[in-house]
Amino acid sequence: MNLLSFRGGVHPPHYKEATERFKVEKAKEPDRVAIPLQQHIGAPCEPLVKVGDKVKIGQKIGEAKAFVSTPVHSSVSGEVKQIARMLTPTGEVECIVIEADGLNEVHESVKPKGDIENLSGKQILDIIKEAGIVGMGGATFPTHVKLSPPPEKKIDTIILNGAECEPYLTADHRLMLEDPESIVYGLRAMMKVVNVSKAYIGIEDNKPDAIESMKNASKGYKEIKVVGLKTKYPQGAEKQLIYACTKREVPSGGLPMDAGVIVNNVATASAVAKAIKTGMPLIERICTITGKGIKEPKNLLIKVGTYIKEIVEQCGGYNGNPGKIILGGPMMGLSQHTDEIPSTKGTSGILVFTPEEARLPEPKACIRCGKCVDICPAFLQPLYISAYSLRNMYETAEKYHALDCIECGSCSFICPSKRPLLQSIRVAKREIIAKKRKTK
């Protein structure tokens, strides 16, 4: 197979063995969920229910009032017990707490929406928006916004990200093995929305069974090409994936649409298919629970709003005291200081390190080896951006294109001096963006 790739990148250990062969199990029904009204990039939703209301599965409980936002729905049937600001994986957010009644009643609005052939692109886009679908690779950008490029941006290609290049995570891998048809169906629906006739599904070559599975599922659709990608991190990053598949480069400061491409995750496509075929909005997702700090690593289908602590308990609990809890993968995931927070649409993984694994090395002086420059997939000079950030010289950091950093963490991974490169570059980006907002 002719493998596609990009320049730069690193080769962290995969650590996927613990769960890659385990089928997805349906998690236990939660007794109580806390559903955040903001689970995505963009504006928070406004609650449509009040304390004491009875709700059903799939019922819309939060309305999106802005374009860059998506509605949220109840993942259980039961009674609304509380609406309050609570801790979530991304900070304090208003949440709707629902006590499940165990009846699992499905809301009357949940019914099949038709078929791709009979629906217009606009109708499919409205279904995606109303179903609250967001990017499920972790970024959680509203999918209907991605599929609504400005008229002057000509899109001719959609790419589905099946790389799952983050170590440890196997949720997308299992989805591609266990329900590949839903991915292809969802991709065809998205192609109709933006009226394109060419699509790629990119998968790293450390998942040959997934490549075979997706090739079989897409037989009969010559407009869809399943391509093998060289196993390398961050192969699943948007700009790197676009280059690998099309050899097009997204310009500095630009978006994928500037290269005529829209990128989505395979799980997002599957959610689109489910929304069309069954009418069920995005209320559950596959999550990999893994790491040496977990007794029984698994891939679970979890309800949005289930507490992380309860999910871990379904995997035998912690293997000793947890050293670090990360939602997502080890390279781009978010560390959490507590497990008493709810899962969201973006909870692709729960990774638990032991205290020994979590211990941070002592950073040493930069030796100017240039390894961070050699491997940077965005062609930046991380050592200089970091150095200026640490001196609070954000304007100079901006001149070194700090905002083009995709925050993949490859520079921190490769640095022999264990410098806090990614952390300091993130600080620079936030300071630069904050200053730009103030001057608007």
Side-chain angles (χ1 to χ4, degrees):
M1 180 184 292
N2 181 27
L3 298 174
L4 308 178
S5 192
F6 63 96
R7 203 206 77 170
V10 293
H11 298 273
H14 301 164
Y15 294 126
K16 294 177 183 283
E17 302 80 9
T19 55
E20 65 184 353
R21 299 190 184 284
F22 290 171
K23 287 187 176 180
V24 177
E25 298 176 35
K26 192 173 174 61
K28 293 177 186 171
E29 290 291 330
D31 296 327
R32 176 180 283 243
V33 294
I35 300 179
L37 287 169
Q38 185 172 23
Q39 305 181 40
H40 46 73
I41 293 172
C45 295
E46 294 182 10
L48 292 174
V49 293
K50 60 184 184 302
V51 173
D53 283 357
K54 302 286 187 183
V55 297
K56 297 179 181 178
I57 295 174
Q59 180 176 338
K60 185 158 68 173
I61 57 174
E63 183 68 275
K65 296 288 188 179
F67 177 61
V68 184
S69 183
T70 63
V72 296
H73 305 77
S74 179
S75 58
V76 298
S77 65
E79 183 177 335
V80 176
K81 289 293 185 182
Q82 186 183 10
I83 301 176
R85 292 186 71 80
M86 304 172 67
L87 276 180
T88 74
T90 55
E92 200 174 275
V93 171
E94 190 170 35
C95 297
I96 297 177
V97 178
I98 303 168
E99 192 171 278
D101 57 16
L103 300 176
N104 289 326
E105 288 185 282
V106 175
H107 193 255
E108 296 73 20
S109 63
V110 179
K111 52 188 177 183
K113 306 299 183 187
D115 189 77
I116 295 176
E117 313 304 331
N118 303 323
L119 294 166
S120 68
K122 175 67 168 56
Q123 287 173 317
I124 295 172
L125 185 65
D126 289 341
I127 293 169
I128 292 170
K129 183 179 180 181
E130 276 302 297
I133 296 174
V134 298
M136 296 178 71
T140 63
F141 193 81
T143 302
H144 71 275
V145 179
K146 266 193 179 182
L147 296 175
S148 306
E152 67 272 18
K153 303 291 183 185
K154 300 302 178 189
I155 307 298
D156 62 14
T157 304
I158 289 183
I159 299 175
L160 283 192
N161 177 11
E164 200 166 47
C165 58
E166 275 267 9
Y168 290 95
L169 303 186
T170 57
D172 289 347
H173 185 180
R174 292 311 311 180
L175 176 64
M176 289 188 283
L177 292 179
E178 297 178 35
D179 194 9
E181 292 80 11
S182 71
I183 296 170
V184 173
Y185 190 93
L187 173 56
R188 290 174 54 225
M190 289 191 281
M191 291 172 71
K192 187 164 185 176
V193 171
V194 289
N195 192 28
V196 302
S197 57
K198 185 166 56 178
Y200 296 92
I201 303 174
I203 306 168
E204 285 191 335
D205 67 331
N206 63 351
K207 296 179 270 293
D209 49 356
I211 294 174
E212 190 64 28
S213 173
M214 292 310 306
K215 280 187 174 179
N216 288 334
S218 59
K219 276 181 182 175
Y221 303 107
K222 60 182 180 182
E223 66 276 20
I224 298 174
K225 188 175 181 182
V226 178
V227 294
L229 306 170
K230 187 176 179 181
T231 299
K232 185 169 61 169
Y233 181 84
Q235 188 66 259
E238 280 188 333
K239 295 177 181 177
Q240 286 62 42
L241 190 58
I242 290 170
Y243 181 79
C245 292
T246 68
K247 301 306 175 196
R248 299 178 192 170
E249 290 192 15
V250 178
S252 174
L255 296 169
M257 67 175 72
D258 294 311
V261 180
I262 290 174
V263 180
N264 277 292
N265 183 268
V266 289
T268 307
S270 179
V272 169
K274 192 170 186 178
I276 295 173
K277 288 184 171 181
T278 70
M280 184 60 77
L282 182 51
I283 59 163
E284 60 185 12
R285 65 156 301 138
I286 302 173
C287 175
T288 301
I289 303 94
T290 187
K292 287 184 179 177
I294 294 289
K295 282 186 178 176
E296 300 170 15
K298 294 179 179 179
N299 295 300
L300 290 180
L301 182 64
I302 60 169
K303 290 281 183 72
V304 169
T306 308
Y307 281 87
I308 301 300
K309 185 177 183 179
E310 291 180 24
I311 297 170
V312 170
E313 285 171 356
Q314 293 181 51
C315 298
Y318 294 115
N319 197 11
N321 291 324
K324 181 180 279 189
I325 301 171
I326 301 172
L327 297 191
M331 303 296 279
M332 295 186 75
L334 292 175
S335 298
Q336 306 294 328
H337 74 277
T338 176
D339 58 4
E340 296 191 1
I341 51 174
S343 58
T344 69
K345 298 173 184 178
T347 307
S348 58
I350 301 172
L351 172 62
V352 181
F353 285 158
T354 63
E356 293 73 25
E357 291 175 311
R359 190 170 297 122
L360 292 174
E362 193 66 30
K364 299 175 183 174
C366 175
I367 59 174
R368 301 291 194 274
C369 66
K371 286 187 177 179
C372 61
V373 178
D374 289 341
I375 58 81
C376 179
F379 313 137
L380 302 177
Q381 301 179 77
L383 76 166
Y384 292 121
I385 300 173
S386 170
Y388 289 123
S389 176
L390 292 171
R391 292 178 175 83
N392 300 329
M393 298 170 65
Y394 304 120
E395 287 187 7
T396 311
E398 185 178 6
K399 291 176 182 175
Y400 278 78
H401 304 286
L403 293 182
D404 281 340
C405 174
I406 61 172
E407 302 185 19
C408 66
S410 295
C411 52
S412 292
F413 174 81
I414 203 71
C415 178
S417 295
K418 301 305 174 189
R419 302 286 301 163
L421 297 172
L422 173 60
Q423 296 91 328
S424 53
I425 293 172
R426 276 180 173 161
V427 170
K429 288 180 68 177
R430 285 171 189 155
E431 291 291 334
I432 295 166
I433 291 169
K435 185 180 177 183
K436 285 181 181 290
R437 285 177 178 159
K438 281 182 183 176
T439 55
K440 274 186 179 178

